[in-house]
Amino acid sequence: MKTLQGAFVGAGRKVAIVAGRFNDFLVQSLIKGAVDCLVRHGARDDDIAVVRVPGAFEIPPVAQMLAESESYDAVVCLGCVIRGDTPHFEYVAGEAAKGIARAAATTGVPVIFGILTAETIEQAVERAGTKAGNRGADAALAALEMIDLYAQIRKRS
Ligand code: INI
């Protein structure tokens, strides 16, 4: 039996991070966690680009452009959507998830979903670098793993 799985190699990897500005207090922590994770795995700070967009709804088209640019090995999408009193949350989070999945499926470049979707601000805070970890760092790690996995699969086919 052969098991294929990606290694966490940061050296030489070029990664774009697309981050919403909405709920910026929390998104800043996600960006910090993602950059810290990439650099600690060997990526060069100069090889990481952070691209800011207004909110999570705007992340997919920009992620798609970056993935198609052939300048990055992976695109990490970061944002924070918190449920309010209206159905707005469903539209924003739903479109972000669908668009990111589409970008990943159509470009052949790993496009990673690192958007926090939370019922409350407290839940979001817990996942942005406090007691439930940092979703930005998790997303960066997933990006490194997927870059390496894609390379292995391409080499074999
Ligand atoms: N954008 C977010 O990233 N998070 C949210 O919680 C949010 N809410 O709740 O409204 C949000 N809305 C803005 C949206 O992403 C777009 O920027 C806006 O609708 C303009 O297209």
Side-chain angles (χ1 to χ4, degrees):
M1 190 189 79
K2 174 92 180 155
T3 302
L4 280 183
Q5 56 188 342
F8 300 114
V9 178
R13 305 306 199 202
K14 294 187 180 355
V15 177
I17 296 171
V18 192
R21 219 176 274 113
F22 207 98
N23 293 320
D24 190 52
F25 173 72
L26 295 162
V27 177
Q28 283 285 353
S29 294
L30 301 180
I31 296 171
K32 194 161 169 263
V35 171
D36 177 66
C37 176
L38 294 171
V39 169
R40 282 194 296 118
H41 282 83
R44 289 175 60 232
D45 191 71
D46 280 354
D47 286 338
I48 303 168
V50 178
V51 182
R52 302 304 302 266
V53 296
F57 191 82
E58 283 73 33
I59 289 174
V62 174
Q64 179 102 28
M65 286 175 75
L66 292 164
E68 285 169 351
S69 71
E70 297 186 4
S71 300
Y72 302 101
D73 299 307
V75 180
V76 175
C77 301
L78 302 178
C80 177
V81 191
I82 302 173
R83 190 184 290 281
D85 297 331
T86 70
H88 198 69
F89 170 97
E90 319 285 349
Y91 294 110
V92 173
E95 289 308 311
K98 273 190 275 170
I100 290 167
R102 196 179 313 120
T106 59
T107 60
V109 172
V111 182
I112 307 298
F113 185 81
I115 298 182
L116 274 179
T117 54
E119 297 289 326
T120 63
I121 290 178
E122 190 185 23
Q123 280 182 354
V125 169
E126 283 174 1
R127 289 157 180 77
T130 63
K131 71 179 184 184
N134 186 312
R135 189 60 56 80
D138 297 345
L141 210 49
L144 295 182
E145 182 174 348
M146 291 297 280
I147 293 169
D148 194 65
L149 180 63
Y150 278 31
Q152 288 183 42
I153 294 171
R154 287 194 175 114
K155 214 158 112 191
R156 288 166 67 90
S157 57

